[in-house]
Amino acid sequence: MTSSDLSREAQTFHRAVRLIPGPTWTAEAAAATADLPSSEVEGMLRELVDARLLTCPTPGRYAHADTSRSDIRRQRAQPTADRDQALTRALEYYLGAAASADRVLNPGKWHLAPVFDRTPSKEFASRALALEWLEDELGNLRACVRVAHDTGRHALVWQFCEALRNLFMLRKHFQIWEDTHTLGLASAEAIDNNAAQALVLGGLGALRLTRGDADRALELHTTSLGLWERARHRLGQAAALEAAGVCELARNRPGRAQALFAHAYEIHELLNRPRGKALLTRRLGEAARDLGEHEDALGHLTEALGFFTEAEEPYMRARTLAGVATTHLAAGDPGRAGEAAVQAHQISARIGAVAEEAGALVLLADVAHLQGRPRDERGLLSRALELYTRLGSVEAVKVRARLAGGGPDASG
């Protein structure tokens, strides 16, 4: 079959799917872009593959043939009403599906983007399926951000940043995190949206802190706080205060962190948000730990752990358990630290939180060190190093130094 043998419906369909951003895509994305029921597109996709206008590099995924790519770029650069509508549908499909996946990854979090107020465009039966979809579609999502920015659809760009935030926190993808949020900030500035700018700056601050630059992260979160205040968004202010407090912990200033966490807690209390109070209770526990107030720290962390266990939030439960483990270690109780770290590791591995899984292995290595089990310590550190290296995390440098003989302080 050649392109001239295509049915009229297939030709119209092909003009629409040419607008899908990204390297490969599914029949579901094609149906959304063409505004057709999924049941109607499978036959046309096969027809386009037979005509060598599309390829099927892996089962269930399609790509534009190399001979079509220059035409696609020209088509995007010369929009018509039909092309404009098809591109918008493609972008909104990916944004809606990403937001649906994000809801599953972090069901209790508040959101700014309007997409989160809509009926989910795609349902995910489990956290694992949501994470798998985001990973599979990451190349397309990255392309969507670029295309939306380049075509002036700025209100969509920063919303993609919010929808991808939990994926980046779980799996890092540092370069894509940087690229999408840089475009997101530019788009938020282009439409003069203070709250959107604040949100994206918060994402960039989290990136900087994850990469080990607490000073720059604090600057970004401080700027974000000012924008949230200008937008009169109380939850945004609380988020920026919390994030600034985490930076202060990383800068070894737990007293300053404690004050910031307490301020954020007051906002959640004023707004009657139990989950927000639980998050800040956990943070107050971390600050108390770093101040050497171990009993108070365990009280705060235990309270937060109870909330996240009852609310069935495994990611937050794993992170809180890690805080419990570090507090027991600081208090000189490796046995109880090990119990909490084992639970944190099991939960993190189950939900695919790779960085938290690696962190729990380092905690277990700390326990092994204090208990005089050097062989176990090295084995645990080696496993953590493998995970950190896969993520491209700065923590890999610290763990590698410890394996080389730097001792526990080299990884801390």
PDB file of all heavy atoms in Angstrom, residues 361-386:
ATOM      1  N   LEU A 361      18.844   1.915  52.765  1.00  0.00           N
ATOM      2  CA  LEU A 361      19.999   1.011  52.781  1.00  0.00           C
ATOM      3  C   LEU A 361      21.188   1.658  53.490  1.00  0.00           C
ATOM      4  O   LEU A 361      21.924   0.985  54.228  1.00  0.00           O
ATOM      5  CB  LEU A 361      20.376   0.623  51.353  1.00  0.00           C
ATOM      6  CG  LEU A 361      19.412  -0.319  50.634  1.00  0.00           C
ATOM      7  CD1 LEU A 361      19.756  -0.403  49.147  1.00  0.00           C
ATOM      8  CD2 LEU A 361      19.430  -1.709  51.266  1.00  0.00           C
ATOM      9  N   VAL A 362      21.384   2.959  53.288  1.00  0.00           N
ATOM     10  CA  VAL A 362      22.466   3.656  53.984  1.00  0.00           C
ATOM     11  C   VAL A 362      22.197   3.665  55.491  1.00  0.00           C
ATOM     12  O   VAL A 362      23.120   3.470  56.300  1.00  0.00           O
ATOM     13  CB  VAL A 362      22.622   5.094  53.444  1.00  0.00           C
ATOM     14  CG1 VAL A 362      23.623   5.878  54.292  1.00  0.00           C
ATOM     15  CG2 VAL A 362      23.083   5.070  51.990  1.00  0.00           C
ATOM     16  N   LEU A 363      20.945   3.869  55.880  1.00  0.00           N
ATOM     17  CA  LEU A 363      20.608   3.817  57.307  1.00  0.00           C
ATOM     18  C   LEU A 363      20.896   2.443  57.889  1.00  0.00           C
ATOM     19  O   LEU A 363      21.430   2.321  58.999  1.00  0.00           O
ATOM     20  CB  LEU A 363      19.132   4.181  57.502  1.00  0.00           C
ATOM     21  CG  LEU A 363      18.752   5.637  57.284  1.00  0.00           C
ATOM     22  CD1 LEU A 363      17.240   5.808  57.339  1.00  0.00           C
ATOM     23  CD2 LEU A 363      19.422   6.517  58.325  1.00  0.00           C
ATOM     24  N   LEU A 364      20.567   1.407  57.148  1.00  0.00           N
ATOM     25  CA  LEU A 364      20.859   0.049  57.617  1.00  0.00           C
ATOM     26  C   LEU A 364      22.362  -0.190  57.689  1.00  0.00           C
ATOM     27  O   LEU A 364      22.841  -0.926  58.564  1.00  0.00           O
ATOM     28  CB  LEU A 364      20.184  -0.972  56.701  1.00  0.00           C
ATOM     29  CG  LEU A 364      18.655  -1.033  56.832  1.00  0.00           C
ATOM     30  CD1 LEU A 364      18.047  -1.854  55.704  1.00  0.00           C
ATOM     31  CD2 LEU A 364      18.273  -1.636  58.186  1.00  0.00           C
ATOM     32  N   ALA A 365      23.121   0.445  56.787  1.00  0.00           N
ATOM     33  CA  ALA A 365      24.582   0.350  56.859  1.00  0.00           C
ATOM     34  C   ALA A 365      25.098   1.052  58.116  1.00  0.00           C
ATOM     35  O   ALA A 365      26.047   0.574  58.764  1.00  0.00           O
ATOM     36  CB  ALA A 365      25.215   0.962  55.613  1.00  0.00           C
ATOM     37  N   ASP A 366      24.471   2.180  58.474  1.00  0.00           N
ATOM     38  CA  ASP A 366      24.844   2.864  59.714  1.00  0.00           C
ATOM     39  C   ASP A 366      24.604   1.963  60.924  1.00  0.00           C
ATOM     40  O   ASP A 366      25.419   1.910  61.857  1.00  0.00           O
ATOM     41  CB  ASP A 366      24.031   4.146  59.869  1.00  0.00           C
ATOM     42  CG  ASP A 366      24.364   5.196  58.823  1.00  0.00           C
ATOM     43  OD1 ASP A 366      25.455   5.106  58.215  1.00  0.00           O
ATOM     44  OD2 ASP A 366      23.525   6.097  58.608  1.00  0.00           O
ATOM     45  N   VAL A 367      23.475   1.277  60.898  1.00  0.00           N
ATOM     46  CA  VAL A 367      23.163   0.344  61.985  1.00  0.00           C
ATOM     47  C   VAL A 367      24.214  -0.764  62.052  1.00  0.00           C
ATOM     48  O   VAL A 367      24.728  -1.095  63.131  1.00  0.00           O
ATOM     49  CB  VAL A 367      21.750  -0.257  61.791  1.00  0.00           C
ATOM     50  CG1 VAL A 367      21.505  -1.392  62.776  1.00  0.00           C
ATOM     51  CG2 VAL A 367      20.687   0.826  61.930  1.00  0.00           C
ATOM     52  N   ALA A 368      24.545  -1.323  60.886  1.00  0.00           N
ATOM     53  CA  ALA A 368      25.546  -2.401  60.844  1.00  0.00           C
ATOM     54  C   ALA A 368      26.898  -1.902  61.363  1.00  0.00           C
ATOM     55  O   ALA A 368      27.616  -2.631  62.066  1.00  0.00           O
ATOM     56  CB  ALA A 368      25.693  -2.918  59.415  1.00  0.00           C
ATOM     57  N   HIS A 369      27.243  -0.668  61.044  1.00  0.00           N
ATOM     58  CA  HIS A 369      28.517  -0.101  61.522  1.00  0.00           C
ATOM     59  C   HIS A 369      28.532  -0.029  63.044  1.00  0.00           C
ATOM     60  O   HIS A 369      29.522  -0.439  63.678  1.00  0.00           O
ATOM     61  CB  HIS A 369      28.716   1.294  60.931  1.00  0.00           C
ATOM     62  CG  HIS A 369      29.966   1.970  61.398  1.00  0.00           C
ATOM     63  ND1 HIS A 369      31.202   1.697  60.855  1.00  0.00           N
ATOM     64  CD2 HIS A 369      30.165   2.900  62.394  1.00  0.00           C
ATOM     65  CE1 HIS A 369      32.112   2.423  61.481  1.00  0.00           C
ATOM     66  NE2 HIS A 369      31.513   3.164  62.407  1.00  0.00           N
ATOM     67  N   LEU A 370      27.446   0.486  63.621  1.00  0.00           N
ATOM     68  CA  LEU A 370      27.392   0.621  65.077  1.00  0.00           C
ATOM     69  C   LEU A 370      27.357  -0.730  65.776  1.00  0.00           C
ATOM     70  O   LEU A 370      27.797  -0.855  66.926  1.00  0.00           O
ATOM     71  CB  LEU A 370      26.172   1.454  65.480  1.00  0.00           C
ATOM     72  CG  LEU A 370      26.221   2.939  65.112  1.00  0.00           C
ATOM     73  CD1 LEU A 370      24.915   3.623  65.465  1.00  0.00           C
ATOM     74  CD2 LEU A 370      27.385   3.631  65.823  1.00  0.00           C
ATOM     75  N   GLN A 371      26.851  -1.741  65.089  1.00  0.00           N
ATOM     76  CA  GLN A 371      26.770  -3.083  65.681  1.00  0.00           C
ATOM     77  C   GLN A 371      27.981  -3.944  65.354  1.00  0.00           C
ATOM     78  O   GLN A 371      28.011  -5.130  65.702  1.00  0.00           O
ATOM     79  CB  GLN A 371      25.486  -3.781  65.208  1.00  0.00           C
ATOM     80  CG  GLN A 371      24.210  -3.113  65.750  1.00  0.00           C
ATOM     81  CD  GLN A 371      22.947  -3.768  65.242  1.00  0.00           C
ATOM     82  OE1 GLN A 371      22.941  -4.414  64.177  1.00  0.00           O
ATOM     83  NE2 GLN A 371      21.855  -3.609  65.986  1.00  0.00           N
ATOM     84  N   GLY A 372      28.988  -3.357  64.700  1.00  0.00           N
ATOM     85  CA  GLY A 372      30.217  -4.088  64.414  1.00  0.00           C
ATOM     86  C   GLY A 372      30.064  -5.184  63.385  1.00  0.00           C
ATOM     87  O   GLY A 372      30.654  -6.261  63.526  1.00  0.00           O
ATOM     88  N   ARG A 373      29.308  -4.884  62.297  1.00  0.00           N
ATOM     89  CA  ARG A 373      29.117  -5.869  61.225  1.00  0.00           C
ATOM     90  C   ARG A 373      29.652  -5.268  59.913  1.00  0.00           C
ATOM     91  O   ARG A 373      28.877  -4.852  59.052  1.00  0.00           O
ATOM     92  CB  ARG A 373      27.637  -6.226  61.090  1.00  0.00           C
ATOM     93  CG  ARG A 373      27.053  -6.919  62.317  1.00  0.00           C
ATOM     94  CD  ARG A 373      25.607  -7.362  62.118  1.00  0.00           C
ATOM     95  NE  ARG A 373      24.676  -6.250  62.224  1.00  0.00           N
ATOM     96  CZ  ARG A 373      23.945  -5.770  61.231  1.00  0.00           C
ATOM     97  NH1 ARG A 373      24.058  -6.289  60.014  1.00  0.00           N
ATOM     98  NH2 ARG A 373      23.111  -4.761  61.424  1.00  0.00           N
ATOM     99  N   PRO A 374      30.967  -5.186  59.744  1.00  0.00           N
ATOM    100  CA  PRO A 374      31.541  -4.502  58.583  1.00  0.00           C
ATOM    101  C   PRO A 374      31.180  -5.128  57.249  1.00  0.00           C
ATOM    102  O   PRO A 374      31.009  -4.409  56.251  1.00  0.00           O
ATOM    103  CB  PRO A 374      33.051  -4.570  58.843  1.00  0.00           C
ATOM    104  CG  PRO A 374      33.232  -5.706  59.795  1.00  0.00           C
ATOM    105  CD  PRO A 374      32.005  -5.707  60.657  1.00  0.00           C
ATOM    106  N   ARG A 375      31.059  -6.438  57.177  1.00  0.00           N
ATOM    107  CA  ARG A 375      30.710  -7.079  55.907  1.00  0.00           C
ATOM    108  C   ARG A 375      29.301  -6.679  55.474  1.00  0.00           C
ATOM    109  O   ARG A 375      29.060  -6.356  54.309  1.00  0.00           O
ATOM    110  CB  ARG A 375      30.828  -8.590  56.026  1.00  0.00           C
ATOM    111  CG  ARG A 375      30.490  -9.320  54.723  1.00  0.00           C
ATOM    112  CD  ARG A 375      30.683 -10.821  54.836  1.00  0.00           C
ATOM    113  NE  ARG A 375      32.086 -11.163  55.106  1.00  0.00           N
ATOM    114  CZ  ARG A 375      32.523 -12.397  55.270  1.00  0.00           C
ATOM    115  NH1 ARG A 375      31.686 -13.422  55.195  1.00  0.00           N
ATOM    116  NH2 ARG A 375      33.805 -12.625  55.509  1.00  0.00           N
ATOM    117  N   ASP A 376      28.356  -6.697  56.429  1.00  0.00           N
ATOM    118  CA  ASP A 376      26.989  -6.272  56.122  1.00  0.00           C
ATOM    119  C   ASP A 376      26.959  -4.799  55.723  1.00  0.00           C
ATOM    120  O   ASP A 376      26.229  -4.401  54.808  1.00  0.00           O
ATOM    121  CB  ASP A 376      26.080  -6.484  57.329  1.00  0.00           C
ATOM    122  CG  ASP A 376      25.813  -7.956  57.607  1.00  0.00           C
ATOM    123  OD1 ASP A 376      26.056  -8.789  56.710  1.00  0.00           O
ATOM    124  OD2 ASP A 376      25.377  -8.279  58.730  1.00  0.00           O
ATOM    125  N   GLU A 377      27.762  -4.007  56.432  1.00  0.00           N
ATOM    126  CA  GLU A 377      27.799  -2.575  56.128  1.00  0.00           C
ATOM    127  C   GLU A 377      28.219  -2.340  54.680  1.00  0.00           C
ATOM    128  O   GLU A 377      27.568  -1.571  53.951  1.00  0.00           O
ATOM    129  CB  GLU A 377      28.780  -1.879  57.071  1.00  0.00           C
ATOM    130  CG  GLU A 377      28.904  -0.383  56.832  1.00  0.00           C
ATOM    131  CD  GLU A 377      29.966   0.267  57.707  1.00  0.00           C
ATOM    132  OE1 GLU A 377      30.651  -0.456  58.458  1.00  0.00           O
ATOM    133  OE2 GLU A 377      30.117   1.507  57.614  1.00  0.00           O
ATOM    134  N   ARG A 378      29.259  -2.995  54.221  1.00  0.00           N
ATOM    135  CA  ARG A 378      29.736  -2.805  52.852  1.00  0.00           C
ATOM    136  C   ARG A 378      28.723  -3.306  51.826  1.00  0.00           C
ATOM    137  O   ARG A 378      28.518  -2.682  50.779  1.00  0.00           O
ATOM    138  CB  ARG A 378      31.082  -3.518  52.646  1.00  0.00           C
ATOM    139  CG  ARG A 378      32.250  -2.865  53.367  1.00  0.00           C
ATOM    140  CD  ARG A 378      33.571  -3.423  52.880  1.00  0.00           C
ATOM    141  NE  ARG A 378      33.818  -3.120  51.475  1.00  0.00           N
ATOM    142  CZ  ARG A 378      34.287  -1.960  51.020  1.00  0.00           C
ATOM    143  NH1 ARG A 378      34.559  -0.981  51.872  1.00  0.00           N
ATOM    144  NH2 ARG A 378      34.483  -1.774  49.726  1.00  0.00           N
ATOM    145  N   GLY A 379      28.099  -4.430  52.143  1.00  0.00           N
ATOM    146  CA  GLY A 379      27.100  -4.951  51.214  1.00  0.00           C
ATOM    147  C   GLY A 379      25.925  -4.001  51.047  1.00  0.00           C
ATOM    148  O   GLY A 379      25.439  -3.764  49.922  1.00  0.00           O
ATOM    149  N   LEU A 380      25.468  -3.425  52.151  1.00  0.00           N
ATOM    150  CA  LEU A 380      24.349  -2.481  52.095  1.00  0.00           C
ATOM    151  C   LEU A 380      24.745  -1.204  51.355  1.00  0.00           C
ATOM    152  O   LEU A 380      23.979  -0.664  50.547  1.00  0.00           O
ATOM    153  CB  LEU A 380      23.891  -2.150  53.513  1.00  0.00           C
ATOM    154  CG  LEU A 380      23.194  -3.302  54.258  1.00  0.00           C
ATOM    155  CD1 LEU A 380      23.213  -3.059  55.761  1.00  0.00           C
ATOM    156  CD2 LEU A 380      21.753  -3.452  53.759  1.00  0.00           C
ATOM    157  N   LEU A 381      25.951  -0.721  51.605  1.00  0.00           N
ATOM    158  CA  LEU A 381      26.420   0.478  50.917  1.00  0.00           C
ATOM    159  C   LEU A 381      26.581   0.240  49.417  1.00  0.00           C
ATOM    160  O   LEU A 381      26.282   1.124  48.600  1.00  0.00           O
ATOM    161  CB  LEU A 381      27.750   0.944  51.513  1.00  0.00           C
ATOM    162  CG  LEU A 381      27.677   1.546  52.919  1.00  0.00           C
ATOM    163  CD1 LEU A 381      29.079   1.794  53.460  1.00  0.00           C
ATOM    164  CD2 LEU A 381      26.872   2.840  52.924  1.00  0.00           C
ATOM    165  N   SER A 382      27.030  -0.948  49.063  1.00  0.00           N
ATOM    166  CA  SER A 382      27.191  -1.272  47.640  1.00  0.00           C
ATOM    167  C   SER A 382      25.846  -1.266  46.928  1.00  0.00           C
ATOM    168  O   SER A 382      25.720  -0.774  45.799  1.00  0.00           O
ATOM    169  CB  SER A 382      27.875  -2.630  47.481  1.00  0.00           C
ATOM    170  OG  SER A 382      29.189  -2.595  47.995  1.00  0.00           O
ATOM    171  N   ARG A 383      24.832  -1.791  47.584  1.00  0.00           N
ATOM    172  CA  ARG A 383      23.492  -1.788  46.998  1.00  0.00           C
ATOM    173  C   ARG A 383      22.957  -0.362  46.885  1.00  0.00           C
ATOM    174  O   ARG A 383      22.336   0.015  45.876  1.00  0.00           O
ATOM    175  CB  ARG A 383      22.547  -2.639  47.834  1.00  0.00           C
ATOM    176  CG  ARG A 383      22.835  -4.140  47.749  1.00  0.00           C
ATOM    177  CD  ARG A 383      22.137  -4.912  48.857  1.00  0.00           C
ATOM    178  NE  ARG A 383      20.685  -4.749  48.813  1.00  0.00           N
ATOM    179  CZ  ARG A 383      19.871  -5.127  49.803  1.00  0.00           C
ATOM    180  NH1 ARG A 383      20.374  -5.670  50.905  1.00  0.00           N
ATOM    181  NH2 ARG A 383      18.564  -4.948  49.691  1.00  0.00           N
ATOM    182  N   ALA A 384      23.213   0.455  47.912  1.00  0.00           N
ATOM    183  CA  ALA A 384      22.780   1.854  47.855  1.00  0.00           C
ATOM    184  C   ALA A 384      23.497   2.599  46.740  1.00  0.00           C
ATOM    185  O   ALA A 384      22.883   3.399  46.008  1.00  0.00           O
ATOM    186  CB  ALA A 384      23.036   2.527  49.193  1.00  0.00           C
ATOM    187  N   LEU A 385      24.791   2.336  46.582  1.00  0.00           N
ATOM    188  CA  LEU A 385      25.567   3.002  45.539  1.00  0.00           C
ATOM    189  C   LEU A 385      25.015   2.684  44.157  1.00  0.00           C
ATOM    190  O   LEU A 385      24.922   3.563  43.291  1.00  0.00           O
ATOM    191  CB  LEU A 385      27.039   2.586  45.638  1.00  0.00           C
ATOM    192  CG  LEU A 385      27.970   3.187  44.574  1.00  0.00           C
ATOM    193  CD1 LEU A 385      27.977   4.696  44.649  1.00  0.00           C
ATOM    194  CD2 LEU A 385      29.384   2.626  44.746  1.00  0.00           C
ATOM    195  N   GLU A 386      24.629   1.451  43.946  1.00  0.00           N
ATOM    196  CA  GLU A 386      24.067   1.064  42.650  1.00  0.00           C
ATOM    197  C   GLU A 386      22.813   1.871  42.335  1.00  0.00           C
ATOM    198  O   GLU A 386      22.627   2.357  41.214  1.00  0.00           O
ATOM    199  CB  GLU A 386      23.751  -0.433  42.664  1.00  0.00           C
ATOM    200  CG  GLU A 386      23.165  -0.952  41.366  1.00  0.00           C
ATOM    201  CD  GLU A 386      22.801  -2.432  41.427  1.00  0.00           C
ATOM    202  OE1 GLU A 386      23.264  -3.116  42.368  1.00  0.00           O
ATOM    203  OE2 GLU A 386      22.061  -2.894  40.550  1.00  0.00           O
TER     204      GLU A 386
END
